[in-house]
């Protein structure tokens, strides 16, 4: 791929993927065409529904939709019911026979998807699913699954280390010592974890990780002793393509709400003056800058800043 005209790249990908998933095949390994199978999936999951709503959802011509529905009805797979508030409309759903016919059809589709994933490693599967989610989020942002803030799962802490290292090296030129610091923070989070007092959240849309943040007990850097009543916000990160969704504010607010519930009196954090987007989020949440200092940190001359939120 990669031509001077991006539209040609899109068309090339479309040709590859339609061939890969068998769109051009006249029939599935069953008695149903692909459009019929897709229509039955909608009726199995979103019924009862009107024919016009189906046409709009699937972006199919009303005449073509009518022929598809007529075919299913003639085979005894479609049932109708009156609209509860509009006597002019009829709602559609699968009949008992239609539901029985859909079961092996749905099972076949799942088996084909599993067969496509089977040769891939776990890392390749995650990368593929993440790319699929990203394509959908870019082209149809309103149709994607809601972004959740969830606790870390196996592999998430490694992702935090990797993404911080790669992102801050590319964007701000920080060296490998920064990635090592993030690894130590993650290790300390596991080793010193206090349920109800500390937490980590991953912003995820399906299998795709979009961001993260931690809230831990603040400790004296010299002695390692806990500072009573003080929490520390750490490792706020958003993937570049996830900006503009309000996730940074959600992650920071999640820390504030958790800290209040846990009984902390204040939250502290460390950042750099160059991180203007993060600083704006902190300021909007009510944090105030309490100290700044010019230092050489992780291979760069930066302005180190300390911020604080009184709860």
């Amino acid at each position: 791929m990669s031509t001077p005209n991006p539209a040609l790249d899109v068309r090339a990908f479309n040709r590859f993927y339609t061939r890969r998933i068998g769109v051009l095949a006249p029939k599935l390994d069953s008695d149903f065409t692909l459009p019929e199978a897709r229509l039955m999936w909608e009726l199995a999951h979103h019924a009862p529904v009107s024919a016009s709503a189906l046409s709009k959802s699937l972006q199919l011509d009303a005449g073509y939709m009518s022929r598809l529905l007529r075919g299913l009805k003639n085979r005894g797979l479609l049932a109708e019911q009156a609209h509860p508030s509009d006597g002019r409309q009829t709602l559609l759903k699968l009949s008992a026979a239609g539901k029985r016919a859909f079961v092996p059809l749905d099972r076949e589709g799942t088996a084909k998807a599993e067969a496509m994933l089977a040769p891939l490693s776990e890392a390749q599967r995650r990368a593929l699913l993440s790319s699929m989610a990203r394509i959908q989020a870019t082209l149809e942002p309103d149709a994607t699954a809601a972004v959740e803030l969830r606790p870390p799962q196996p592999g998430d802490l490694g992702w935090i280390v990797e993404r911080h290292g790669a992102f801050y090296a590319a964007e701000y030129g920080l060296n490998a010592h920064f990635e090592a610091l993030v690894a130590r923070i993650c290790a300390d989070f596991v080793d010193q974890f206090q349920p109800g007092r500390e937490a980590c959240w991953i912003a995820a849309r399906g299998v795709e990780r979009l961001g993260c943040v931690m809230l831990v007990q603040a400790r004296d850097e010299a002695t390692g002793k806990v500072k009573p009543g003080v929490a520390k916000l750490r490792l706020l990160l958003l993937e570049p393509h996830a900006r503009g969704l309000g996730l940074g504010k959600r992650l920071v607010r999640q820390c504030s709400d958790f800290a209040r519930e846990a009984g902390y009196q204040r939250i502290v954090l460390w950042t750099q003056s160059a991180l203007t987007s993060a600083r704006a989020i902190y300021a909007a949440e009510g944090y105030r800058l309490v100290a700044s200092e010019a230092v050489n940190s992780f291979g760069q001359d930066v302005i180190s800043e300390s911020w604080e939120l009184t709860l």
Side-chain angles (χ1 to χ4, degrees), residues 127-309:
L128 176 65
L129 296 175
S130 178
S131 297
M132 288 177 168
R134 190 174 303 176
I135 289 172
Q136 185 179 4
T138 301
L139 297 180
E140 290 188 342
D142 294 336
T144 58
V147 177
E148 63 171 334
L149 304 187
R150 60 165 175 76
Q153 299 173 354
D156 283 340
L157 295 182
W159 173 82
I160 290 175
V161 176
E162 186 272 332
R163 291 307 300 144
H164 272 80
F167 176 80
Y168 281 96
E171 294 286 326
Y172 300 100
L174 302 192
N175 61 27
H177 290 288
F178 176 73
E179 188 170 350
L181 172 64
V182 176
R184 283 193 293 272
I185 292 172
C186 289
D188 288 343
F189 176 78
V190 174
D191 292 340
Q192 301 171 352
F193 180 64
Q194 294 293 320
R197 301 290 293 168
E198 300 178 314
C200 174
W201 295 274
I202 304 294
R205 180 166 46 206
V207 299
E208 183 184 25
R209 304 177 182 104
L210 300 177
C212 61
V213 75
M214 280 185 183
L215 189 84
V216 299
Q217 297 182 100
R219 296 175 178 271
D220 185 279
E221 293 186 3
T223 65
K225 291 184 178 179
V226 170
K227 296 182 178 180
V230 185
K232 190 169 189 177
L233 186 153
R234 312 203 78 168
L235 303 184
L236 175 66
L237 179 75
L238 283 182
E239 291 285 13
H241 67 274
R243 295 170 184 168
L245 301 178
L247 289 181
K249 292 180 180 179
R250 280 184 62 189
L251 288 165
V252 171
R253 176 59 56 85
Q254 184 76 16
C255 290
S256 303
D257 292 343
F258 180 90
R260 290 189 180 95
E261 183 69 22
Y264 287 105
Q265 283 83 54
R266 59 192 175 102
I267 305 175
V268 298
L269 65 85
W270 169 86
T271 188
Q272 295 179 1
S273 61
L275 305 182
T276 54
S277 296
R279 294 172 81 256
I281 293 172
Y282 300 143
E285 182 66 11
Y287 282 82
R288 62 186 182 90
L289 177 63
V290 294
S292 62
E293 176 185 17
V295 298
N296 185 278
S297 181
F298 309 113
Q300 298 294 322
D301 292 326
V302 300
I303 304 298
S304 174
E305 296 182 343
S306 296
W307 290 65
E308 182 177 300
L309 173 68

